[in-house]
Amino acid sequence: MNPVVSQPGYGTRSVTLSDWQTSPWECFDDMKICLCGTFCPLILSAMIASDMDEFCLCGASMAMRTLYRTRYGIPGSLCSDWLWWSCFPSCAMCQLKRDIDKRKAMNAF
């Protein structure tokens, strides 16, 4: 009898490890996203939810960050997602939107 040494992944496709396309502190790389995240966070979070084909009345959330990170094999944990979303919500939201846009530009989204 062979022991199970790994858990099944998300869905049927294999996940390759990657990293965030930008750091959370690179807000000024895309001023449109930066300004939207600073002054209109609900609009930016709705854009993120739409990009991810999710329906969420309150827009983006820690759960979406975790889903996105898991889908693209980005290292992290629920604890780190919670900390980013709790302590630096605008930075975390802007990072997520920038990453989505960069992956779209690379046809990897």
Side-chain angles (χ1 to χ4, degrees):
M1 181 152 116
N2 294 333
V4 176
V5 294
S6 66
Q7 294 294 321
Y10 175 78
T12 57
R13 71 179 196 187
S14 65
V15 175
T16 57
L17 290 179
S18 66
D19 207 353
W20 291 103
Q21 302 296 311
T22 63
S23 114
W25 311 119
E26 296 176 8
C27 292
F28 299 112
D29 282 0
D30 189 325
M31 286 304 295
K32 184 179 84 173
I33 292 173
C34 178
L35 292 172
C36 189
T38 301
F39 298 109
C40 306
L42 290 178
I43 292 173
L44 184 61
S45 65
M47 290 167 54
I48 292 169
S50 175
D51 286 340
M52 294 183 64
D53 291 329
E54 296 288 331
F55 176 77
C56 185
L57 293 175
C58 59
S61 66
M62 185 200 99
M64 279 191 216
R65 180 180 171 89
T66 303
L67 173 67
Y68 186 84
R69 192 178 47 71
T70 304
R71 185 178 292 167
Y72 290 101
I74 299 170
S77 66
L78 287 172
C79 183
S80 69
D81 292 336
W82 180 82
L83 284 171
W84 275 109
W85 214 263
S86 298
C87 299
F88 305 102
S90 292
C91 295
M93 195 177 346
C94 289
Q95 179 190 32
L96 182 55
K97 179 61 175 156
R98 283 192 314 273
D99 202 272
I100 289 170
D101 289 350
K102 287 189 182 258
R103 288 183 195 269
K104 281 183 178 180
M106 297 184 309
N107 290 323
F109 184 71

